[in-house]
């Protein structure tokens, strides 16, 4: 039972454990913040692409696709991930 009487260094162990937990929570907070920032930027890029392409519809669907693709890339979307399709058969507005 003598080994339990010597309590030197226990505060150091507790502080280190608390510091590890605090740094872990800080890392998670930063990751979640970056996730929301990226999501917001992607939403802005998609909205801008949709609005820029919509001004050419229904007369010129090819120009609408090109304008949407250009604006999406200009607003931070990667060119290889942009997929825009205008379906000509669905032109009916009711």
């Amino acid at each position: 039972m003598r080994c339990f009487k010597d309590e030197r260094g226990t505060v150091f162990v507790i502080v280190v454990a608390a510091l590890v937990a605090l740094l872990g929570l800080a890392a998670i907070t930063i990751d979640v913040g970056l996730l929301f920032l990226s999501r917001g930027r992607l939403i802005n890029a998609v909205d801008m692409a949709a609005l820029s392409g919509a001004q050419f519809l229904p007369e010129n669907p090819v120009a609408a696709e090109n304008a949407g693709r250009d604006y999406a890339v200009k607003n931070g979307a990667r060119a290889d991930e942009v997929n825009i399709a205008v379906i000509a058969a669905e032109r009916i507005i009711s």
Side-chain angles (χ1 to χ4, degrees), residues 4-17:
F4 292 117
K5 300 244 183 211
D6 188 15
E7 295 182 359
R8 288 180 291 162
T10 55
V11 172
F12 178 73
V13 172
I14 292 171
V15 168
V16 167

Side-chain angles (χ1 to χ4, degrees), residues 42-90:
L42 181 61
I43 288 171
N44 287 339
V46 169
D47 287 344
M48 185 60 80
L51 290 173
S52 66
Q55 65 186 349
F56 293 104
L57 292 176
E59 292 86 20
N60 195 349
V62 175
E65 288 182 21
N66 292 335
R69 189 170 292 108
D70 291 341
Y71 272 86
V73 170
K74 286 179 185 176
N75 285 294
R78 291 192 347 216
D80 59 337
E81 292 181 343
V82 176
N83 185 13
I84 297 176
V86 176
I87 302 171
E90 296 181 14

